Amino acid sequence: MPPSPIPRDTVVDALVDRLRDDVLSGRYPPGSYLPPERELAAGYAVTRTSLKHAIVRLAQAGLLETRHGVGTRVRDYERLGGPELLPMLVSTVGPAWMREVFEVRREIGAHIAGKAAAHATAEHRDRLRRLATVLRDAEDASTAQLAECEIHRVIAAATGNRVYGFMINALLNAYLAVRDGFAHAFTDPAVAAARIAPLIEAVCAGDPGRAREAAAAYFTETEAIMIAGPRRPGAGRG
């Protein structure tokens, strides 16, 4: 069990995080039952009341299920879970899940861009152009990142299909959970704005084919930059 007690001031939040990490890292694999509450609470150095609250929250998230008189079991979340689990998975398990998020982002993103180009309204086009300016003029990488995320939300909304919006929200929520690790792609907001400009222009021009191509190119380029990590001083010289 965990060797160090959890801070009392944030006990339930911290316990949720600790227990979630233990589930997603395989300490308690899908289908297994958690130890009895008394034993588990003692191992985490918390009260059974705090443990119950944490278990309820993880059950609501789709990771656990409690059966009266039987115990608390880890759900087969890969088979039964939904996209709401992605932020937990990318922040706990890490790179493998993020690579899969990027793959879906490329494939779904290109399709959504084409649909958006075909159905975007004047309001959507105006919003995209204004967000492009916000991205270009952002004062820092974090602000630029958030502006870029909002561009993708607007593109999804422009399809006229709310399900695409939910899909993009799920991917963005996973990305935002670890976005600090990708901030280097937005260090120069003007450069970031220039990268996405062809996609915005194609959507605003109402050209589905060009929008799909621009989206595929954009996602491929940004993925490579994000995965490569921050450029070290002096890299590529000499």
Side-chain angles (χ1 to χ4, degrees):
M1 300 302 295
S4 58
I6 292 172
R8 296 288 176 182
D9 55 343
T10 57
V11 63
V12 175
D13 288 340
L15 180 56
V16 167
D17 290 343
R18 186 81 64 84
L19 190 52
R20 177 205 65 202
D21 291 352
D22 284 345
V23 168
L24 295 179
S25 65
R27 183 185 184 92
Y28 303 118
S32 67
Y33 281 89
L34 299 183
E37 284 187 1
R38 188 181 301 278
E39 177 185 334
L40 197 60
Y44 286 113
V46 299
T47 66
R48 292 181 68 182
T49 299
S50 294
L51 178 64
K52 287 179 185 292
H53 285 309
I55 287 174
V56 166
R57 285 169 56 177
L58 290 174
Q60 291 171 339
L63 285 181
L64 303 175
E65 59 182 359
T66 299
R67 297 182 178 182
H68 183 67
V70 178
T72 299
R73 187 173 67 174
V74 179
R75 297 183 78 221
D76 185 352
Y77 52 85
E78 288 194 27
R79 186 172 70 88
L80 302 173
E84 69 279 355
L85 292 179
L86 286 175
M88 294 185 187
L89 289 163
V90 298
S91 60
T92 301
V93 185
W97 279 96
M98 201 63 223
R99 282 194 297 273
E100 293 179 31
V101 168
F102 278 136
E103 180 181 357
V104 173
R105 177 177 178 256
R106 286 195 311 272
E107 296 173 355
I108 296 297
H111 177 73
I112 287 175
K115 298 282 287 187
H119 298 284
T121 65
E123 182 180 353
H124 291 129
R125 292 191 291 270
D126 180 63
R127 179 71 175 143
L128 286 172
R129 292 184 179 111
R130 284 189 282 118
L131 282 169
T133 300
V134 171
L135 172 56
R136 184 197 65 203
D137 298 339
E139 61 184 15
D140 53 39
S142 178
T143 303
Q145 262 185 313
L146 296 177
E148 192 250 11
C149 287
E150 191 61 24
I151 286 171
H152 294 304
R153 294 189 201 277
V154 174
I155 290 174
T159 65
N161 187 322
R162 288 172 291 185
V163 177
Y164 286 133
F166 290 146
M167 293 172 69
I168 291 302
N169 285 341
L171 295 176
L172 287 176
N173 288 341
Y175 166 75
L176 289 170
V178 292
R179 75 183 181 99
D180 288 350
F182 302 117
H184 59 276
F186 301 91
T187 302
D188 189 332
V191 171
R195 277 199 303 267
I196 202 170
L199 171 56
I200 293 174
E201 291 167 3
V203 171
C204 291
D207 187 332
R210 184 154 63 95
R212 285 191 293 270
E213 292 176 0
Y218 175 74
F219 290 130
T220 299
E221 182 180 11
T222 54
E223 178 183 341
I225 293 170
M226 290 175 179
I227 290 176
R231 192 172 180 182
R232 295 185 300 274
R237 298 177 186 173

